[in-house]
Amino acid sequence: MIYKEKFKIGLKDVWKGEEVSNIAILEYLENIAAYHSDSVGYGVNTTKQTNLNWLLLDWKVKVLKRPKYGQELEIHTWSRKIEKFYAYRDFEIYDEQMNLCAIATSKWLLVNSKTGKISRVDSEMAEKYQSEIDKMVFENEEITKMNIPENFENEIIYQVQRRDIDVIGHMHNLYYLDIAYEALPKDIYEERPFDNVRIMYKKETKLGEKVVGKYSNVEGKNVVVIQSEDGKVLHSIIELY
C-alpha cells in the first residue's frame, strides 16, 4: 500500500536561496509516516487503545533536487518490510511537475507505551500495512550500522529544553539534526545544504539532560556524535555530506 499526502513548503521550511531545508524534509517524512499509521489504526490517536508506539531508529535520505518556498510537494510512503519487532519504511518526494526530488528509507521499532518494552508486530498489524516488499528506493535496502570516529575536531554542549520534548516525553527526533548543525565548524556549516543525511538513534534524551555534540570529518563525510556529558551514553550519530 502506497500512502500519499501533499505538503506546501512554508517560510520556516527554507534556508538561504529559498530552498527546502533538510530539517523540513525530515519533518514532512515524519508526519506522513504518522498519518499512514493513523490511517491503519496504529498512530498517535490510537495509542491509548493499542498501547503501542513506533520509535524511529534510523534515517537515510538522499536529496536529488531542492524545491523552493511556496511549492507543493507530493510525498509517497510505504511499508517496505516488517520483521518481528521492526518495520522498514521508504519515501519518495515529488515536486509539482512530478519530478523526483528526494528518496529516503527508515527503520522503526514497535514498543509498548505503558511498559516501554519492545513489542512484536503481529500478523493483524502487518496485514493492515500491506508492505510493498518489491519496492525500495535504495539498491541496498538495509541500513548499515554507524561507528563512532576515533578523533574529533570540534564539540558543543547542549542542555535539553522544554521546547525539545515530544509527545512521548523524549527529545524530538528532528532536534538531533539541529544539534549536529551547531557542532559543525563554521566553514563546514556554511557548506549546507548536505544532500545526503544519515541519522542513527540509540538512546532517548530527556528534559534537562546535557549532551555533547562532537564533530569529525571521516573520509569526506561530516560526522557528529551526540553523547551524554560523561561520554558513557551514545544518543545518536549523524552523517552529512
Side-chain angles (χ1 to χ4, degrees):
M1 173 188 178
I2 298 177
Y3 184 87
K4 304 176 183 180
E5 288 279 358
K6 292 188 176 181
F7 296 82
K8 191 168 185 177
I9 300 174
L11 188 60
K12 74 176 182 63
D13 300 335
V14 298
W15 69 303
K16 59 184 180 181
E18 300 180 356
E19 293 182 332
V20 67
S21 69
N22 286 336
I23 290 176
I25 288 172
L26 288 177
E27 185 174 3
Y28 301 151
L29 301 185
E30 185 179 68
N31 281 333
I32 193 172
Y35 298 156
H36 184 193
S37 286
D38 289 339
S39 73
V40 298
Y42 294 99
V44 174
N45 291 334
T46 57
T47 297
K48 290 182 179 180
Q49 290 76 43
T50 63
N51 295 321
L52 296 172
N53 278 323
W54 287 109
L55 293 186
L56 181 60
L57 298 180
D58 290 272
W59 276 124
K60 181 180 179 181
V61 181
K62 183 175 182 61
V63 180
L64 308 172
K65 174 186 176 184
R66 286 189 185 269
K68 295 187 176 183
Y69 166 74
Q71 295 185 6
E72 188 174 68
L73 305 177
E74 181 171 300
I75 304 182
H76 300 181
T77 188
W78 59 94
S79 169
R80 174 165 55 81
K81 181 173 63 173
I82 293 177
E83 292 182 341
K84 296 181 180 178
F85 318 105
Y86 303 101
Y88 298 82
R89 174 180 290 279
D90 282 9
F91 306 82
E92 293 172 335
I93 299 179
Y94 294 90
D95 64 14
E96 293 172 340
Q97 290 73 43
M98 291 305 292
N99 297 308
L100 183 61
C101 295
I103 56 176
T105 190
S106 57
K107 183 179 180 181
W108 304 74
L109 175 68
L110 188 66
V111 299
N112 185 292
S113 59
K114 285 189 173 181
T115 65
K117 294 182 178 179
I118 297 173
S119 184
R120 181 181 288 270
V121 181
D122 61 28
S123 58
E124 180 182 354
M125 175 185 283
E127 185 177 350
K128 288 185 178 180
Y129 277 101
Q130 299 178 45
S131 295
E132 301 280 344
I133 58 175
D134 296 321
K135 183 175 174 60
M136 52 187 158
V137 296
F138 291 102
E139 288 186 10
N140 180 5
E141 66 176 38
E142 300 305 331
I143 300 176
T144 56
K145 182 182 178 181
M146 301 174 72
N147 297 314
I148 299 176
E150 294 182 2
N151 301 299
F152 297 97
E153 305 168 31
N154 193 46
E155 68 176 50
I156 63 159
I157 296 177
Y158 181 78
Q159 186 168 15
V160 180
Q161 307 294 310
R162 293 173 182 171
R163 62 175 178 264
D164 301 324
I165 302 303
D166 63 14
V167 295
I168 57 175
H170 303 159
M171 186 169 78
H172 195 280
N173 299 312
L174 296 178
Y175 301 143
Y176 290 85
L177 185 54
D178 280 326
I179 293 175
Y181 280 139
E182 293 297 331
L184 297 177
K186 186 177 186 299
D187 59 328
I188 301 298
Y189 177 78
E190 293 298 330
E191 292 179 6
R192 293 180 305 149
F194 303 103
D195 289 335
N196 294 276
V197 179
R198 176 80 175 83
I199 305 176
M200 179 179 73
Y201 302 100
K202 292 297 291 183
K203 176 68 175 176
E204 73 275 5
T205 310
K206 297 182 179 180
L207 179 64
E209 290 184 351
K210 287 185 178 180
V211 296
V212 182
K214 299 181 178 180
Y215 167 78
S216 179
N217 187 289
V218 181
E219 299 179 350
K221 297 179 180 180
N222 301 296
V223 180
V224 176
V225 175
I226 299 176
Q227 297 175 310
S228 59
E229 196 172 18
D230 61 9
K232 294 181 179 180
V233 179
L234 173 62
H235 292 287
S236 180
I237 303 177
I238 297 99
E239 186 177 272
L240 306 163
Y241 63 98

